[in-house]
Amino acid sequence: ADIHGIVLAPPHDHLGEAAGPLLPRGCAVAGVLRSLMEKSFEILSAHPINLRRQAEGKLPANCIWFWAEGKGAALPNFVEAYGDRGGVVSAVPLCHGIARLVGLSPVTVPTATGEWDTDYAAKVRAALAVLGENDFVALHLEGPDEATHNHDLTHKIFAVECLSELVIRPVAERLREEKEEFRMLILSDHKTLMAN
């Protein structure tokens, strides 16, 4: 199906806004997606899990939302291109998918939440284990991004402080103790603004 011209809105950029103007638009496929969203709401709103969640005062998971449209990318194999083996430690499935696409090892930490309250120590242990068997590790932390989407400045600052104190410091200290020569690159995968 041709999705040329489709407009899909990321839900986390529109918290508290009316959904109507944000529904898929821009091409014929958008109408199909809107129909699927309506049907999902019909089915999921009456699902026993959602009825129980609402009775407990929790938000229901009562609709699917399409966003982040795109086409599959052909990415070069990182190991073949650069000769370095590595792994990607993340709580985000997208990061694991990219790792697989480029020939890197995806690493899941069971206690990682992808939020500001993730298990930083477990992620550090996983990253150091990857370094023990590979040339490099990419350690992804989603906490600052998720706090930003929730307009939660307190936990965004907390997550950045944790990145410094609970991730960067222990990794650097361990590598220095082991007399490893290393370089560390600290960067954001994208910007997320507190205000839209």
Side-chain angles (χ1 to χ4, degrees), residues 84-121:
D84 293 321
R85 293 176 328 156
V88 177
V89 177
S90 179
V92 178
L94 172 68
C95 293
H96 290 156
I98 293 170
R100 284 186 182 93
L101 283 173
V102 299
L104 301 175
S105 300
V107 178
T108 300
V109 175
T111 53
T113 64
E115 300 285 341
W116 61 268
D117 63 349
T118 196
D119 188 344
Y120 294 96

Side-chain angles (χ1 to χ4, degrees), residues 95-175:
C95 293
H96 290 156
I98 293 170
R100 284 186 182 93
L101 283 173
V102 299
L104 301 175
S105 300
V107 178
T108 300
V109 175
T111 53
T113 64
E115 300 285 341
W116 61 268
D117 63 349
T118 196
D119 188 344
Y120 294 96
K123 291 187 87 166
V124 166
R125 286 191 300 274
L128 291 170
V130 170
L131 282 176
E133 299 177 5
N134 293 277
D135 302 304
F136 73 95
V137 64
L139 173 54
H140 180 258
L141 295 166
E142 186 73 1
D145 185 49
E146 289 303 314
T148 305
H149 290 313
N150 292 324
H151 303 283
D152 183 351
L153 182 60
T154 300
H155 285 119
K156 178 177 184 170
I157 292 169
F158 176 81
V160 172
E161 290 171 343
C162 288
L163 168 63
S164 176
E165 290 301 313
L166 302 179
V167 177
I168 296 168
R169 181 188 302 270
V171 169
E173 286 175 353
R174 173 75 173 275
L175 294 174

Side-chain angles (χ1 to χ4, degrees), residues 1-4 6 8 24-36:
D2 184 9
I3 62 167
H4 183 73
I6 198 164
L8 304 176
R25 63 188 185 284
C27 70
V29 172
V32 174
L33 297 180
R34 282 193 310 274
S35 295
L36 287 170

Side-chain angles (χ1 to χ4, degrees), residues 171-188:
V171 169
E173 286 175 353
R174 173 75 173 275
L175 294 174
R176 286 186 187 115
E177 283 171 13
E178 295 179 358
K179 307 237 184 288
E180 288 281 346
E181 285 188 32
F182 68 92
R183 284 187 275 183
M184 191 178 291
L185 178 62
I186 302 157
L187 52 91
S188 172

Side-chain angles (χ1 to χ4, degrees), residues 8-82:
L8 304 176
H12 55 267
D13 287 348
H14 301 280
L15 296 176
E17 295 180 30
L22 304 173
L23 294 175
R25 63 188 185 284
C27 70
V29 172
V32 174
L33 297 180
R34 282 193 310 274
S35 295
L36 287 170
M37 290 172 77
E38 290 167 6
K39 189 68 174 172
S40 74
F41 181 75
E42 212 177 284
I43 294 168
L44 294 174
S45 291
H47 193 280
I49 290 174
N50 281 320
L51 295 175
R52 185 177 71 242
R53 288 183 59 83
Q54 287 178 304
E56 294 169 354
K58 297 177 182 176
L59 291 173
N62 60 2
C63 185
I64 58 173
W65 189 275
F66 296 101
W67 68 289
E69 71 282 359
K71 297 183 179 180
L75 300 174
N77 183 288
F78 191 93
V79 179
E80 291 173 6
Y82 301 103

